[in-house]
Amino acid sequence: MSGWWREAALYQIYPRSFQDTDGNGIGDLEGICRRLDHIADLGVGAVWLSPIFRSPMADFGYDVSDYRDIDPVFGDMAAFDRLLEETHARGLKLLLDFVPNHSSDQHPWFQESRSSRDNPKRDWYIWHDPAPDGGPPNNWMSNFGGSAWEWDEHTDQYYYHAFLAEQPDLNWRNPDVRAAMRDVLRFWLDKGVDGFRVDVIWHLIKDAEFRDNPLNPHYDASHPDIDRYLQVYSADQPEVHDVIAELRAVIDSYDDRLLIGEIYLPIERLMTYYGRDNSGVHLPFNFQLIQCAWNADAIGSLIHEYESALPEGGWPNWVLSNHDQPRIAARVGEAQARVAAMLLLTLRGTPTLYYGDEIGIADVDMTEEEVLDPAAINEPGVSFNRDRSRTPMQWSDKPVAGFSDGKPWLPLTQDWRERNAAVQRQDPASLLNLHRALLHIRSIEPDLLSGAYRRIDMDEDVLAYERGASIAVILNLSSEPVELSLPDKWKAARVLLSVRSAQALNEVPANLAGAEGVILKIKDAE
């Protein structure tokens, strides 16, 4: 299996929060252009943009009203073309977020679909008669709270929306929908885009009989509505793999392009998205580290389970944070966020970094009035407020952290004057420089790129593993020092990098300090 993504680290940008250039407090494409040198200097190989298509912004771009245009809040097509050119000029790839499960209710397709029951596009969306009692057709719930069915008085039917009512689900059983979406991919691929991350790809096909989902025996009132039932029939249907194979065929008709799928499923079901004979997505996003307890035993077991489950030819990948989940520094604290960076960038497979994690942005204080996330507004107290993971990038100690000349759309962290890229760039031991060092070592050590993974038995607080024949990684996931009892072959190794200092060390330490990690290389492998 070839592919540039086997060696490249990916860098996710939430465009609204990266860099504003027109003073409206919202990031834009020109801002990303201006910050490309930061990304290139970091050492990643590709940039992935969360949605930039035209949208009413009911869900901040995940409600698309035109799949072939740029939303004016981000710029225009000329700005996109400039960004693509500048990205490629720095040797970086550019990936777009593709949102095919649902459109905006303002999309012309849906406007036609809801206009009458006999409109040619009626079957482009999922319409259903009421249940015998006049209520929703079944018990499927929205991911954003309440029923997933919305009554349409004009045509006296319900339409299905897995998310907001403003995000009606497309009917991927309709061949015309599939053909139209394949054409959308070709439009951007012809422009030179290097691939796509496909939003909620496991949702694309629903049960043809619209059967009720079974009750979740573990549900309680502290959980969001979506957890009331097990999503047996509303997602992850067998036919979805035929749809994905069609999308993959489009990608494969262009040279060296990448297809990623967003999939929140247990490992055994996640693996099916590589497809028969690897005809599915190249990378089914692996979110297991986001959901895993932060201790050596749990993480070590997880890595083993994931590696063991990979199909032949399937390439692994790892993610610590994204725009929907709490940031890694918010989950494990600043010290362990450094350890997490070494873990992410030394495991076998393609890592994805989330903007701001390289400087340790953590949680942010927000008033109730400042919350914009529709999921958090619909289900306060039980749904994670995604705004907390989408706050502006902190570039400097200048006003608004150098992000904007205006009021930012979301607040900054309280420590932005100290926690920013400019300050950390000057500190050799900073988290930013640790990321730069890790990405550099990853790029020059063949065993970190392709060497096999094998766990080393260590103290219960230590996660240790070999990569290939020449590299070992030792991570202390506790705050207390531990004595190192290394296998003999690693005792005289060279320490390529320390988590705490972001530098090489003269010798292998006898004791590993709390929240410390080291990358070792056998000297005779130089």
Side-chain angles (χ1 to χ4, degrees), residues 60 184 198 212 235:
F60 298 107
V184 169
V198 184
D212 278 350

Side-chain angles (χ1 to χ4, degrees), residues 138-141 143 160 173 202-217 225-241 264-266 269 273:
N138 61 25
N139 68 0
W140 296 357
M141 304 299 288
N143 285 266
Y160 178 72
R173 293 183 181 275
W202 83 106
H203 275 261
L204 292 184
I205 296 289
K206 290 78 173 171
D207 178 50
E209 299 176 36
F210 297 96
R211 287 170 284 187
D212 278 350
N213 281 323
L215 285 167
N216 179 359
D225 276 352
I226 189 65
D227 290 343
R228 289 178 182 271
Y229 303 98
L230 302 175
Q231 308 304 300
V232 171
Y233 297 115
S234 53
D236 190 33
Q237 300 303 292
E239 303 96 319
V240 75
H241 300 291
Y264 284 93
L265 289 174
R269 289 161 66 192
Y273 284 78

